């Protein structure tokens, strides 16, 4: 029990050190980029610093796997340099017994990152987007998906348009049952346009079977109804802007992601990227466990200090290979060449099985 508590405290201490080091580099690298970006747009330091703080949760979550690996490396190096690892092994403690406290903590950190960290990231990223939008640093065109409809917003120089469609194709070029609400200013509705089908071309909408309900300036006068076979309406929206609105599923809380995926598929849009993100979030504890085992394989053994530097290098190198393999497999999954479950869980589970086998071989040897 005392050994378990001691290793737990050591591991938590090393995790704290690696987290602070990672946090420092995030502030140093991303902070300088944000300061340059805001200063180039004639904005002050306070606004830049606010956006830096809003981006910290997202960048920290991305680096959390590195934090786990560095924490494990520091822990095992600490035990080796003080000869505590040699004493523990001489007393009959196996490598798997020594690994249990860090393993439980690592799985717990992965669960915290998925179910607490991910919602925090989604809130901070939305706040960062709103901040940038308020300074006209991002596009004000927006998109959302409700239970039954797709909603778009197109802000032009002279008017604003709110667009509703019941369905669209996967490339965001064909929309069905389109309704355009054209506003003059913030509150005055200029006209309402309905179309059974709409094609999004370069710079304009091509509408079919159009009905236009135009507001009249005279009060208590009937609205003008015009029917047309086709109509072209200028727009600043592009299919890239619409599809990019779905490009980053991190802005959606993991608790709402499943419902959002269902609404996307009902609307006719492919939710492949969001499904993959959801599965990789669930697989985070397994991925962190693989990172821990990489450090254990190379450093949970008594050896000369000269060889420990080489072992640390191989730890970081193998961890980088596993991370790259995960990202590469995700790119194949997005092209529907590999199943999403295999991509999300496969590399981590395969690594855990392989590394556990190596650890068993080291113990038997």
């Amino acid at each position: 029990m005392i050994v378990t508590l001691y290793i737990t405290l050591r591991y938590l201490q090393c995790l704290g050190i690696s987290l602070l080091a990672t946090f420092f580099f995030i502030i140093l690298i991303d902070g300088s980029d944000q300061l340059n970006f805001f200063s180039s747009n004639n904005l002050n330091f306070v606004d830049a610093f606010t956006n830096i703080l809003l981006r910290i949760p997202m960048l920290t979550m991305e680096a959390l796997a590195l934090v786990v690996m560095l924490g494990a490396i520091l822990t095992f190096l600490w035990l080796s340099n003080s000869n505590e690892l040699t004493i523990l092994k001489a007393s009959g403690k196996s490598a798997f017994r020594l690994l249990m406290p860090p393993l439980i903590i690592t799985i717990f950190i992965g669960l915290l990152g998925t179910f607490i960290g991910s919602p925090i990231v989604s809130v901070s990223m939305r706040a960062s987007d709103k901040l940038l939008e308020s300074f006209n640093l991002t596009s004000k065109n927006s998109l959302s998906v409700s239970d039954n409809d797709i909603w778009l917003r197109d802000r032009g120089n002279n008017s604003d348009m709110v667009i509703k469609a019941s369905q669209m194709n996967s490339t965001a070029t064909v929309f069905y049952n389109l309704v355009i609400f054209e506003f003059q200013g913030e509150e005055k509705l200029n006209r309402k346009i309905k179309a059974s089908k709409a094609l999004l071309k370069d710079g304009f909408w091509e509408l079919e079977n159009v009905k236009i309900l135009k507001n009249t300036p005279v009060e208590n006068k009937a609205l003008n109804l015009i029917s047309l076979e086709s109509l072209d309406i200028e727009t600043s929206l592009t299919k890239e802007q619409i599809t990019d609105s779905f490009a980053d599923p991190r802005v959606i809380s993991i608790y709402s992601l499943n419902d959002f995926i269902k609404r996307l598929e009902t609307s006719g849009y492919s939710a492949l990227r969001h499904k993959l993100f959801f599965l990789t979030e669930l697989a985070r504890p397994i991925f962190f466990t693989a990172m821990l085992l990489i450090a254990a394989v190379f450093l949970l053994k008594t050896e000369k200090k000269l060889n420990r530097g080489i072992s640390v290098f191989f730890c970081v190198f193998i961890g980088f290979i596993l991370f790259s393999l995960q990202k590469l497999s995700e790119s194949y999954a997005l092209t529907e060449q590999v199943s999403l479950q295999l991509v999300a869980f496969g590399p981590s589970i395969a690594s855990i099985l392989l590394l556990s086998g190596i650890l068993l071989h080291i113990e038997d040897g």
Side-chain angles (χ1 to χ4, degrees):
M1 183 64 185
I2 296 176
V3 172
T4 300
L5 181 60
Y6 177 76
I7 295 176
T8 299
L9 293 176
R10 283 292 192 201
Y11 186 51
L12 289 174
Q13 186 178 1
C14 293
L15 282 175
I17 294 172
S18 60
L19 181 61
L20 287 176
T22 305
F23 183 79
F24 171 77
F25 280 106
I26 288 174
I27 292 292
L28 183 65
I29 298 173
D30 186 68
S32 60
D33 288 342
Q34 292 299 311
L35 287 174
N36 290 332
F37 175 69
F38 274 73
S39 62
S40 63
N41 288 278
N42 299 319
L43 296 172
N44 57 40
F45 171 79
V46 176
D47 298 325
F49 186 71
T50 302
N51 196 51
I52 292 170
L53 293 179
L54 291 174
R55 286 172 55 86
I56 283 176
M58 179 264 294
L59 296 173
T60 303
M61 286 295 295
E62 289 183 350
L64 205 53
L66 176 63
V67 170
V68 170
M69 169 167 278
L70 291 179
I73 290 173
L74 287 175
T75 302
F76 299 140
L77 281 179
W78 200 328
L79 294 175
S80 297
N81 291 335
S82 61
N83 294 321
E84 292 168 332
L85 186 59
T86 305
I87 296 171
L88 290 172
K89 284 195 170 185
S91 65
K93 300 292 190 299
S94 66
F96 288 96
R97 173 72 181 276
L98 299 176
L99 265 178
M100 283 307 297
L103 180 62
I104 294 173
I105 294 172
T106 299
I107 294 174
F108 183 69
I109 291 173
L111 293 173
L112 283 180
T114 298
F115 295 106
I116 296 179
S118 181
I120 293 174
V121 169
S122 65
V123 171
S124 65
M125 288 187 67
R126 287 198 298 269
S128 177
D129 290 341
K130 288 181 180 178
L131 179 66
L132 294 175
E133 183 179 311
S134 65
F135 296 122
N136 294 320
L137 298 178
T138 57
S139 173
K140 291 187 177 181
N141 298 329
S142 60
L143 180 148
S144 64
V145 179
S146 64
D147 290 337
N148 302 310
D149 301 302
I150 301 163
W151 291 85
L152 304 166
R153 185 168 186 175
D154 183 9
R155 288 193 171 183
N157 295 327
N158 299 320
S159 62
D160 291 345
M161 290 191 295
V162 176
I163 304 166
K164 183 185 76 169
S166 62
Q167 195 174 9
M168 71 177 181
N169 66 348
S170 59
T171 59
T173 54
V174 182
F175 294 77
Y176 300 94
N177 299 323
L178 194 78
V179 180
I180 299 177
F181 301 91
E182 186 181 89
F183 290 89
Q184 198 74 31
E186 295 185 357
E187 298 181 355
K188 183 182 177 182
L189 179 63
N190 188 25
R191 57 179 178 170
K192 178 181 177 182
I193 304 171
K194 292 183 178 180
S196 60
K197 184 179 179 181
L199 304 177
L200 182 59
K201 301 295 184 68
D202 292 335
F204 66 96
W205 289 99
E206 186 179 285
L207 308 179
E208 299 178 3
N209 299 324
V210 184
K211 292 183 179 180
I212 304 174
L213 196 63
K214 192 170 183 180
N215 198 4
T216 58
V218 181
E219 295 184 2
N220 300 324
K221 187 176 180 180
L223 300 177
N224 293 331
L225 179 62
I226 303 173
S227 298
L228 300 172
E229 291 186 2
S230 63
L231 177 67
D232 293 344
I233 296 180
E234 184 179 353
T235 182
S236 61
L237 287 171
T238 64
K239 63 179 182 179
E240 288 79 13
Q241 286 178 337
I242 298 174
T243 54
D244 285 348
S245 298
F246 298 118
D248 198 345
R250 291 175 299 178
V251 299
I252 306 168
S253 171
I254 190 171
Y255 299 106
S256 306
L257 195 55
N258 233 347
D259 293 334
F260 187 80
I261 290 171
K262 293 177 183 178
R263 292 199 299 269
L264 280 182
E265 292 178 332
T266 303
S267 301
Y269 186 81
S270 173
L272 194 64
R273 186 186 298 272
H274 294 74
K275 288 180 180 178
L276 179 60
F277 175 77
F278 182 71
L279 291 173
T280 52
E281 286 291 300
L282 296 180
R284 190 193 302 275
I286 304 175
F287 184 70
F288 285 4
T289 301
M291 288 293 188
L292 173 68
L293 289 178
I294 291 173
V297 164
F298 287 98
L299 296 172
L300 262 187
K301 49 187 177 179
T302 56
E303 56 183 8
K304 296 180 181 179
K305 292 184 179 181
L306 180 63
N307 296 329
R308 288 173 194 159
I310 299 175
S311 298
V312 171
F313 169 77
F314 276 109
C315 283
V316 177
F317 181 69
I318 298 298
F320 175 76
I321 288 178
L322 177 59
F323 182 81
S324 302
L325 180 63
Q326 182 77 36
K327 294 300 179 183
L328 181 63
S329 59
E330 287 177 9
S331 65
Y332 279 109
L334 292 176
T335 60
E336 300 184 6
Q337 298 182 24
V338 187
S339 69
L340 299 182
Q341 291 80 5
L342 180 62
V343 167
F345 296 95
S348 301
I349 293 176
S351 300
I352 289 173
L353 295 176
L354 177 62
L355 294 167
S356 299
I358 295 174
L359 271 178
L360 285 171
H361 176 73
I362 293 173
E363 283 293 290
D364 291 340

